Amino acid sequence: MTTMRKESKIKNLDDLRLEIARLKALTKEQEEYLSDQYRLFNDKLAAPAHFVKSLTSWIPGADLVKNLFAKGKNEEDWLSKSLRIGLPVVLNRFFLRKAGLLKRTLVTLLSQQAAGALNKDRVSTVINQVADFIRPKKQSKHVAQRKVDYGIPPDSETY
């Protein structure tokens, strides 16, 4: 059985230096090729994103949905922003079906103000307080500590 052995073309120190220089040039060439391919790939991905962005800029409500999850000037969290939108819709849809325009407008403004006061920290605090109220309290163990009796009274005249 014959074993395949690759013959090295490096025979002396000069051949080794030439091979190192060749490999460095090859790696530089490959790095440049890969960086060009990466830039081309990013450009290909950016084109549809630019198209969608320009398309959504023409839609009136798209900016509202986009800003719902983005940090705003007031640094509101996602819960406050979603409550500002969702609370008036729920109130008008389910509770104020036959109300007039003025009543719906007032409820919308008031509910948006109330939703602005809520944030996820306040909601989690309320939930924790309710959970602490519902959970059973741990029974404290009232174990009477007995004094150890050694048999000799402390005020005896034995000493």
Side-chain angles (χ1 to χ4, degrees), residues 63-109:
D63 191 38
L64 179 69
V65 173
K66 183 178 80 174
N67 289 334
L68 178 63
F69 295 103
K71 287 287 185 185
K73 296 175 187 172
N74 301 343
E75 293 297 321
E76 292 180 331
D77 56 354
W78 62 269
L79 182 66
S80 300
K81 289 180 182 181
S82 58
L83 281 177
R84 278 187 186 266
I85 295 171
L87 193 60
V89 170
V90 168
L91 288 175
N92 287 332
R93 175 83 176 172
F94 294 111
F95 298 114
L96 302 172
R97 280 190 171 169
K98 296 183 180 183
L101 179 66
L102 182 63
K103 190 182 282 186
R104 283 184 179 216
T105 305
L106 285 174
V107 168
T108 299
L109 290 174

Side-chain angles (χ1 to χ4, degrees), residues 6-75:
K6 186 175 179 182
E7 290 292 324
S8 176
K9 51 186 172 177
I10 300 172
K11 301 293 182 194
N12 55 22
L13 189 59
D14 290 334
D15 292 341
L16 178 64
R17 288 186 180 139
L18 285 174
E19 185 66 18
I20 290 173
R22 185 187 72 81
L23 291 175
K24 283 184 181 179
L26 181 66
T27 56
K28 186 174 181 176
E29 180 183 330
Q30 289 175 348
E31 287 173 356
E32 289 175 0
Y33 173 75
L34 288 175
S35 65
D36 288 341
Q37 291 298 315
Y38 179 74
R39 274 189 247 113
L40 287 173
F41 182 70
N42 281 341
D43 291 343
K44 284 183 181 181
L45 286 180
H50 289 303
F51 175 73
V52 169
K53 189 175 181 181
S54 66
L55 187 67
T56 57
S57 68
W58 289 92
I59 299 172
D63 191 38
L64 179 69
V65 173
K66 183 178 80 174
N67 289 334
L68 178 63
F69 295 103
K71 287 287 185 185
K73 296 175 187 172
N74 301 343
E75 293 297 321

